[in-house]
Amino acid sequence: MKSIVQDRYGAAPEDVLRLAETERPTIRRDEVLVKVCAASVDRGTWHVMAGLPYPVRAAGFGLRRPKYANPGRALAGTVEAVGADVTGVKPGDEVFGIGSSSFAEYARARADKLAPKPANLSFGQAAAVPVSGLTALQAVRDRGRVGPGQKVLIVGASGGVGTFAVQIAKAYGAEVTAVCSTAKTALVSALGADHVVDYTRADIADDTVRYDVILDIAGNRRLSQLRRALAPRGRLVIVGSETDGRWLGGTDRQLRAQLLSPFIGQTLGTFITSENGRDLIAVRELIESGKVTPAVDRTYPIDDVAAAVRHMLDGRARGKLVIGVQAPTGGF
């Protein structure tokens, strides 16, 4: 089969990712073999590819060299085969979810990390959902506890997680203010944001509005600035954090937030996304109800995965970047 392969860690996708012919993966008893129609790129793709910050390697991705064939994880496709212990999924089912080395024609996935593909999405759109959609749902629903009438500020609203978070917060009845760059304001407005702040022209903490919930999605804003914009009993959810640090990579801000939180009225915290089929179904229901639609920037062929990762790293992506692997009837 065709697959992206990676022999070593490296920060530049052009240097470490290449297309090759490999053997189909062998599944375990609790796994599913998926014929991949499409996959997608997210910030985690780079972390797994680069092995940075270093704790990523200790988390099971390989200490000295990559454990997995390629850094792809999100996917959409059809079930090719199932393990002996798998129930509720059968060959031919259309699914989406999280697997292993998904930048390939076939990929392994645990059955409990898959769900039926949303009926109203193409495979390409569905592949954009799993990692970013789950992160956004859990940030809004579980950590932010967003409810009707609340004022919610989303920093980094035009990225993969942010575009989902804007729509999910609106679906939960919030008044949403989205923060992004000038070139992306039209996108977040179209997603339903009530207010849009261009961070190149305005300060998110201008003392005119205090927010019940703030989601800082890889924005790396200072805690003092975020707290100034947060209501006295508000909740700050830090969803990722990006610096060049090889050991912490920005997670020191998350640690400081959690250490400070018990001593103040505001709740400051972060979380690790739980990858599970139950929440994939919850996102699927929001999508099929018309409340959430994946914002896909563009689709790259499988032999151009490195260019897709580069596009994301350069900060040019508006929403999600999809990798077309095997075109189904009707296209991606």
Side-chain angles (χ1 to χ4, degrees), residues 12 43 108 160 215 328:
R43 191 71 194 184
R108 296 164 39 216
L215 306 184

Side-chain angles (χ1 to χ4, degrees), residues 45-109:
T45 303
W46 180 84
H47 288 295
V48 173
M49 180 196 79
L52 295 173
Y54 290 133
V56 168
R57 306 186 187 195
F61 292 99
L63 289 177
R64 294 182 176 273
R65 59 181 57 87
K67 178 180 178 180
Y68 299 99
N70 67 59
R73 298 176 65 241
L75 58 81
T78 58
V79 174
E80 184 77 4
V82 300
D85 295 339
V86 173
T87 59
V89 182
K90 64 183 186 302
D93 286 353
E94 297 182 348
V95 296
F96 76 128
I98 298 171
S100 170
S101 302
S102 64
F103 300 146
E105 292 181 318
Y106 294 89
R108 296 164 39 216

